[in-house]
Amino acid sequence: MASVVEYKGPRVGYRCGYCDSPAGKVSSGMWAHSMTVQDYQALIDRGWRRSGKYVYKPVMNQTCCPQYTIRCQPLHFQPSKSHKKVLKKMFKFLSKGEFSKGNNEEEPMDSQMDDAAVEDFVLKSKLDIQSDRRPLSEDYNEVIESEVKEKEENLEAKEIQQFNQSHAAKESLGSGEPSRTVKGVPSTPKPGKGADLSKPPCRKAKDIRKERKRQKLILKSQTDKLEDFQTEREPQLLPSGKSKLNQPKSIEDFIFDTLPEDAAHQLKFTRFLCSSPLEAETPPNGPDCGYGSFHQQYWLDGKIIAVGVIDVLPYCVSSVYLYYDPDYSFLSLGVYSALREIAFTRQLHEKTSQLSYYYMGFYIHSCPKMKYKGQYRPSDLLCPETYVWVPIEQCLPALENSKYCRFNQDTKAVDEERVNELDRLRVLYKRTIMPYNIYKKRQKGPSDEAIVQQYADLVGQTCSERMLLFRS
């Protein structure tokens, strides 16, 4: 079994769905008549991605919005506050039927997959985040800060209310005698006549917040010093590992939390092989589901509300896209499905140790609606020149200065898969498999060596020798 591909060459100057440039997009593509999971794994590790049977690779230094392949490391993943919010919202809806549709915005769309939308389902990017009441262009840290600020302001308002109620209670619990005017101390003024100097001055919410923050820092400093002292002086008093109670909740703790017996809704999942160029494989040392493309169906009370498409490959689960019923957009199904797929990757890893990554498609730093993928930490970006993985934290400063960046800091590093022997490339010509040097002798008409060399450079030496390049 071998992959059979038909290289279509570069496609230049077509509309970009990210920046709306009418002719700024540039990519190379090929049609996959069939493809092994091993070859597709190798291709996505060189910046390729599939949409149905069409496999494409952006020309990174020419396209208007460079699209960097991004992968998450599920084994070290911890859900953020915004992720936990989505998981808790789903659990609350399932267990109690409670939800709020009013303030939810529609999740942004991955325009690369527009052609796959069907009927009543709205096609969305697998990981697109719904930003409740906040614009998508906000930075992740700003989102978290706004959440903390909102909580603090609510707490301050509550404290001020309790403070006022407390003073009112003290006044009502006095001796019952009418108040007297003491020389030098004015009596309680009438409403609108000025401040009551017999009470402590009113504190501004900003001052209360600063004081609370200062106290928290002092308390944290004291706690850290105490822990350091205990670690240094009395190591025998500390357990070798954190107890379950002190550990942050994992993604499984949220997703697989047991629903009450009288839960308002039931959410079920089914998984089926689906049509794709990838050839399904079930090797003995592979995952129980095997390798290939799958539909993950989300059933709510017997009604299908979403379908996710994923590729299970030798080293990763690759997210393709998600259909969902727009009536349930308030559940942030794009985020929820991504978190479930991260948990699914962790499950597959238990059986197949080398399968340990979750590929999220493309990260586009210059497009606000596509930067959210960087919030799934830890994650890496693929260097577009040397095809090595670099932690996203190291890439972001460079991306702030330039849309296109080489992430590998080793200036001497090169593409280890660059093609040195084009003659070893395999060709399918007139229903016969042959190396390129034989094909050249049989070829009629003008030479196509330039386009074949271009194809080989894009797929790399290994794939050029394994895959069959169809030539007519």
Side-chain angles (χ1 to χ4, degrees):
M1 181 175 61
S3 302
V4 179
V5 298
E6 187 174 356
Y7 183 60
K8 298 295 185 180
R11 185 182 176 195
V12 181
Y14 61 106
R15 192 188 73 82
C16 176
Y18 302 113
C19 70
D20 288 330
S21 170
K25 205 160 191 177
V26 184
S27 68
S28 297
M30 57 188 178
W31 188 260
H33 295 277
S34 66
M35 183 166 288
T36 67
V37 292
Q38 291 80 12
D39 287 339
Y40 186 54
Q41 176 74 70
L43 287 175
I44 62 174
D45 283 337
R46 292 183 64 82
W48 292 82
R49 180 167 169 80
R50 79 175 184 89
S51 176
K53 292 190 174 185
Y54 184 71
V55 189
Y56 61 97
K57 184 182 189 300
V59 180
M60 300 291 282
N61 59 353
Q62 297 180 31
T63 191
C64 54
C65 296
Q67 299 157 256
Y68 298 92
T69 302
I70 182 171
R71 72 178 186 184
C72 174
Q73 301 179 30
L75 304 186
H76 306 288
F77 175 80
Q78 281 294 333
S80 67
K81 288 184 179 179
S82 59
H83 297 151
K84 292 176 183 178
K85 182 179 178 181
V86 171
L87 295 172
K88 289 176 180 178
K89 178 168 60 175
M90 176 65 81
F91 184 82
K92 189 174 182 181
F93 172 72
L94 295 177
S95 59
K96 300 179 181 180
E98 298 177 4
F99 64 92
S100 174
K101 289 187 178 181
N103 294 323
N104 286 275
E105 297 178 2
E106 198 175 86
E107 297 176 357
M109 180 179 292
D110 186 343
S111 60
Q112 280 291 348
M113 300 298 176
D114 288 351
D115 59 331
V118 291
E119 298 182 357
D120 296 334
F121 285 95
V122 177
L123 179 59
K124 301 294 177 180
S125 169
K126 179 68 69 173
L127 303 172
D128 285 337
I129 283 188
Q130 185 166 331
S131 58
D132 299 329
R133 297 184 299 279
R134 289 186 292 271
L136 290 168
S137 59
E138 286 186 349
D139 183 77
Y140 174 65
N141 291 329
E142 294 175 354
V143 173
I144 296 302
E145 288 174 2
S146 65
E147 291 178 354
V148 173
K149 183 177 180 181
E150 182 180 353
K151 291 179 181 178
E152 287 184 346
E153 289 175 349
N154 291 338
L155 182 60
E156 289 161 6
K158 186 176 180 181
E159 288 181 353
I160 293 171
Q161 183 181 6
Q162 291 175 346
F163 176 82
N164 293 335
Q165 291 175 348
S166 174
H167 277 273
K170 288 180 181 177
E171 290 179 358
S172 64
L173 295 174
S175 61
E177 298 179 359
S179 60
R180 298 186 178 90
T181 301
V182 181
K183 188 176 182 180
V185 179
S187 61
T188 302
K190 295 180 180 180
K193 296 296 183 180
D196 184 356
L197 298 182
S198 65
K199 297 180 182 179
C202 180
R203 299 178 65 191
K204 293 183 177 180
K206 182 178 180 181
D207 295 334
I208 295 175
R209 184 163 60 251
K210 286 183 177 179
E211 177 64 20
R212 185 183 298 109
K213 185 176 182 180
R214 187 181 70 84
Q215 292 176 354
K216 286 180 180 179
L217 290 174
I218 293 174
L219 179 60
K220 184 179 185 302
S221 176
Q222 293 174 343
T223 303
D224 292 343
K225 288 180 180 178
L226 178 60
E227 289 178 351
D228 292 341
F229 176 79
Q230 289 177 332
T231 302
E232 181 179 355
R233 300 294 183 182
E234 303 178 38
Q236 71 278 8
L237 297 180
L238 296 176
S240 58
K242 290 184 178 180
S243 67
K244 182 68 175 176
L245 294 177
N246 292 330
Q247 287 183 341
K249 291 183 71 174
S250 69
I251 190 173
E252 289 85 359
D253 293 331
F254 287 99
I255 290 177
F256 303 118
D257 198 0
T258 305
L259 290 170
E261 293 183 0
D262 59 345
H265 301 286
Q266 293 293 328
L267 186 65
K268 295 182 179 180
F269 302 87
T270 57
R271 187 175 298 112
F272 298 98
L273 278 168
C274 63
S275 176
S276 93
L278 300 185
E279 300 291 341
E281 296 183 22
T282 54
N285 59 342
D288 292 338
C289 64
Y291 298 123
S293 299
F294 296 85
H295 275 153
Q296 294 207 113
Q297 298 181 350
Y298 294 69
W299 291 84
L300 180 67
D301 301 333
K303 175 186 177 182
I304 190 167
I305 63 170
V307 179
V309 179
I310 60 171
D311 294 331
V312 179
L313 304 174
Y315 300 106
C316 73
V317 169
S318 175
S319 164
V320 183
Y321 52 80
L322 175 78
Y323 304 103
Y324 71 77
D325 187 333
D327 288 344
Y328 294 90
S329 60
F330 64 92
L331 291 174
S332 302
L333 291 172
V335 184
Y336 183 76
S337 64
L339 296 172
R340 283 203 69 102
E341 288 170 7
I342 289 174
F344 178 52
T345 306
R346 288 159 64 126
Q347 288 179 327
L348 295 181
H349 172 78
E350 295 178 2
K351 173 70 185 297
T352 310
S353 59
Q354 74 269 17
L355 203 163
S356 54
Y357 294 101
Y358 178 60
Y359 284 50
M360 299 179 282
F362 290 134
Y363 172 84
I364 307 174
H365 191 76
S366 57
C367 179
K369 73 175 184 180
M370 299 299 289
K371 290 173 66 174
Y372 63 87
K373 296 182 181 181
Q375 298 175 14
Y376 291 76
R377 303 285 180 93
S379 58
D380 310 300
L381 296 183
L382 187 67
C383 176
E385 296 182 7
T386 62
Y387 303 108
V388 297
W389 294 99
V390 181
I392 191 171
E393 295 84 356
Q394 298 179 24
C395 305
L396 295 180
L399 288 172
E400 288 293 329
N401 297 321
S402 175
K403 287 184 178 182
Y404 173 75
C405 298
R406 170 193 168 113
F407 300 137
N408 192 336
Q409 297 300 309
D410 183 358
T411 56
K412 296 181 180 179
V414 296
D415 175 13
E416 296 293 338
E417 277 282 303
R418 66 189 185 281
V419 174
N420 295 317
E421 299 180 57
L422 190 61
D423 286 348
R424 295 172 59 180
L425 180 146
R426 293 210 299 170
V427 175
L428 178 61
Y429 179 61
K430 293 185 177 180
R431 299 185 180 181
T432 304
I433 299 173
M434 62 188 72
Y436 183 68
N437 61 337
I438 301 298
Y439 161 76
K440 286 192 298 184
K441 296 176 182 178
R442 299 185 182 182
Q443 181 187 7
K444 297 179 181 180
S447 172
D448 62 357
E449 185 168 345
I451 196 74
V452 172
Q453 181 69 58
Q454 185 182 75
Y455 156 81
D457 291 339
L458 292 172
V459 303
Q461 186 73 49
T462 300
C463 280
S464 72
E465 295 180 21
R466 284 198 311 221
M467 300 193 305
L468 302 179
L469 175 62
F470 175 79
R471 306 305 290 168
S472 60

